[in-house]
Amino acid sequence: MGLELYLDLMSPPCRWVYMFAKKNNIPFEHKQMVLAKGEQHSEAFAKVNQLKKVPALKDGDFTLAESTAILVYLAQKHKTADHWYPSDLQKRARVDEFLAWQHTTLTMNNGRLMMMKTMAPMLLGHPVPAEKVDAAVQELNMSLKQMEEKFLQDKTFLTGEEISLADLVAFTTAAQPLGGGPDILEGRPKLIAWRQHVEAEIGEELINEMNQVMEKAKAMLGGPVDPAMKEMMKAYLQKML
C-alpha cells in the first residue's frame, strides 16, 4: 500500500501538505475530503484519524494526524532537500520554532478573521459587529509584525537564505489571498518581497493550481453545507464571538 493523503484543499494546512508533496515529487494518492459535507466524521475516516480532522496521512499501516507532523514525516522519510527541514540542529530548531509559534498566532488569527468575514454572516444571518472584526484585524496585524520582526528580519526567507517548511506554512496560511480577496501583506514591503521569493521557489504551475483552488473556495461561499456540520460551525462561531 502506498502513501495516502486525506485532504480538503479548501483548508490551508491541507494545501501546505499537498504543495510540499507535489513540489518534492513525493508519490501519493489524494483522498479528497469535503469538510462542508461532514465527511471527516464518517466511521471510515475515523479509522485513519480518530480526531476526525484533516489533513491525515496513511502510509501502509501507519497513520498520522497534524499537518506540521505530516510535513516533517514526509521530509524525513523521503529525504527531501536539506533546506526544507535542515539536518543542522540549530537551523532545524529555527524551523521548529516557527512551526510551533504559528499555530496559535498567525494561523489562528488569520483563520478567525476569515471566518468573521466569510462564514459568519452566512451561517449566523448577520454581519459580525465591526468592533469584533477590528479587534481580529489588530490581532492578525500583530502576528504579521512578529513574523517580520522576529522571524524574517533581514533574511530572504523566514529561517535563513533558503526556503524551508516555515515559509511554505506561512505562505499558504496568510500570504495567499482568498480568491482575489484583500491582501493582508499590503503596506509590508519586506513581507511582500518575502512572498515573491517563496512564489519563485514553489513555481508558477503549483501556485496557479492553488490559486484556482482559492477561486473555487470563494465561489462556494454560501453553497450547501451538511446540516450537522452547519450547526457545529454556528456553535463555534457563537462561542468565538
Side-chain angles (χ1 to χ4, degrees):
M1 295 175 63
L3 174 67
E4 299 174 350
L5 295 176
Y6 292 75
L7 310 169
D8 182 340
L9 295 182
M10 302 300 174
S11 158
C14 289
R15 289 201 301 279
W16 69 53
V17 168
Y18 178 88
M19 292 172 73
F20 182 71
K22 284 286 190 177
K23 177 63 180 176
N24 288 281
N25 299 310
I26 297 172
F28 68 95
E29 181 180 354
H30 182 188
K31 298 287 190 178
Q32 296 190 43
M33 303 286 292
V34 182
L35 298 181
K37 293 182 179 179
E39 293 179 353
Q40 70 275 27
H41 297 294
S42 70
E43 291 185 11
F45 182 65
K47 295 177 181 178
V48 177
N49 183 8
Q50 63 181 351
L51 300 176
K52 299 182 178 180
K53 295 180 179 181
V54 292
L57 172 152
K58 190 172 188 295
D59 193 5
D61 294 330
F62 177 75
T63 58
L64 187 65
E66 297 301 322
S67 57
T68 54
I70 291 171
L71 287 177
V72 170
Y73 176 84
L74 293 175
Q76 294 186 313
K77 175 170 182 178
H78 294 274
K79 297 179 172 60
T80 57
D82 191 69
H83 59 79
W84 287 109
Y85 194 61
S87 54
D88 178 88
L89 177 62
Q90 292 186 356
K91 290 181 179 179
R92 175 179 292 192
R94 288 299 180 206
V95 176
D96 288 335
E97 180 184 36
F98 181 86
L99 295 180
W101 171 82
Q102 58 83 29
H103 276 299
T104 56
T105 51
L106 182 68
T107 298
M108 184 179 73
N109 291 335
N110 188 60
R112 180 187 291 122
L113 182 59
M114 292 301 298
M115 289 285 283
M116 286 184 177
K117 287 188 171 183
T118 57
M119 299 299 293
M122 178 186 72
L123 293 173
L124 301 179
H126 57 79
V128 175
E131 62 271 18
K132 295 281 189 179
V133 175
D134 290 343
V137 169
Q138 290 179 13
E139 289 178 353
L140 178 56
N141 282 336
M142 178 57 69
S143 294
L144 292 170
K145 184 175 185 290
Q146 292 173 342
M147 175 174 148
E148 180 177 331
E149 295 180 356
K150 156 68 177 168
F151 294 99
L152 182 60
Q153 299 178 359
D154 294 318
K155 301 186 296 294
T156 304
F157 295 99
L158 290 174
T159 62
E161 295 308 311
E162 292 183 287
I163 194 171
S164 74
L165 295 180
D167 299 286
L168 182 62
V169 167
F171 172 81
T172 312
T173 301
Q176 196 174 30
L178 174 61
D183 184 356
I184 64 173
L185 301 189
E186 185 177 356
R188 298 182 180 274
K190 277 191 177 182
L191 289 181
I192 290 174
W194 160 79
R195 176 171 61 193
Q196 292 170 343
H197 293 308
V198 174
E199 289 175 338
E201 288 292 325
I202 293 175
E204 184 178 0
E205 182 177 352
L206 194 50
I207 292 293
N208 288 340
E209 182 180 354
M210 291 301 97
N211 284 341
Q212 290 175 8
V213 169
M214 301 301 283
E215 289 289 349
K216 182 180 178 183
K218 183 179 180 182
M220 288 179 65
L221 291 175
V225 178
D226 175 73
M229 187 66 181
K230 185 174 181 178
E231 289 305 310
M232 289 178 61
M233 292 172 68
K234 283 178 66 176
Y236 169 79
L237 286 167
Q238 289 167 344
K239 183 178 179 181
M240 180 179 71
L241 299 175

